[in-house]
Amino acid sequence: FKENRKDDIWLVDFYAPWCGHCKKLEPVWNEVGIEMKNMGSPVKVGKMDATSFSSIASEFGVRGYPTIKLNLEKITCMAFSWGFIFGVLQLAESDFFFIFLLPRPLIRPLPSQHMFEHVQRRHRVLFVYVGGESPLKEKYIEVASELIVYTYFFSASEDVLPEYVTLPELPAVVVFKDGTYFVYDEYEDGDLSSWINRERFQGYLNVDGFTLYELGDTGKLVAIAVIDDKNSSVEHTRYRT
């Protein structure tokens, strides 16, 4: 990174050796580097001791640790504080790669059934807008701009969706998750943003403190099963699966 920072696209973790949050981030950051390389991404992942290379840290406006910077075409266009970093990295793996793929379209079109099946295999939860221009689409775009860091937004024509999907009317917003789908109903579900914020979670998932906090913000009732990973009894195994 030191030698090629002005020629390549870099996502860099600026850390301090004594920083406890930095140490917590390190194993995750190593996995990020491996995954990005395996994905064939043009974004290079690196890390730098900001206390040893203070002039470069200053060049990137680093004021706290850890700080992640995305250097794109010689312009530092994004920065994240440690609180935001840990909030994001504690989400499911598929939910934090938005950092490395930005800039990406807020809403990605699905031109074929094959493409729909592909993204459905990749994402446990995805939202799809179906229909033409409408006030609902404008609202969908607005919500996508707010929640793009948490979930995935697509658009498609009705014939791209699986045959088992029945839409009462168009336009429509549909969430696919848990092996089924749910259609947004303005009269029953209320505000689209609130509905998407509630439905972006799977019905059954492992939770940590951050995810539980996020679930609490949705207003959903949450039932929690506390289990021992080392316990192989029928009851514990049933809850794990």
Side-chain angles (χ1 to χ4, degrees), residues 15-96:
Y15 69 95
W18 44 261
C19 170
H21 297 302
C22 300
K23 292 175 182 178
K24 183 177 180 181
L25 177 61
E26 184 176 7
V28 180
W29 197 248
N30 291 338
E31 290 296 320
V32 167
I34 293 170
E35 184 66 20
M36 289 297 292
K37 184 176 181 180
N38 291 340
M39 288 170 60
S41 171
V43 180
K44 296 183 178 181
V45 178
K47 57 184 179 180
M48 174 169 280
D49 181 349
T51 63
S52 297
F53 298 93
S54 56
S55 60
I56 297 178
S58 296
E59 176 185 329
F60 283 84
V62 174
R63 295 181 176 84
Y65 311 115
T67 292
I68 292 177
K69 292 278 186 171
L70 174 64
N71 185 50
L72 180 61
E73 295 179 353
K74 304 183 183 181
I75 299 175
T76 304
C77 61
M78 199 174 302
F80 307 101
S81 68
W82 72 262
F84 179 78
I85 292 165
F86 286 110
V88 172
L89 295 184
Q90 286 180 60
L91 294 173
E93 181 177 356
S94 62
D95 288 333
F96 70 69

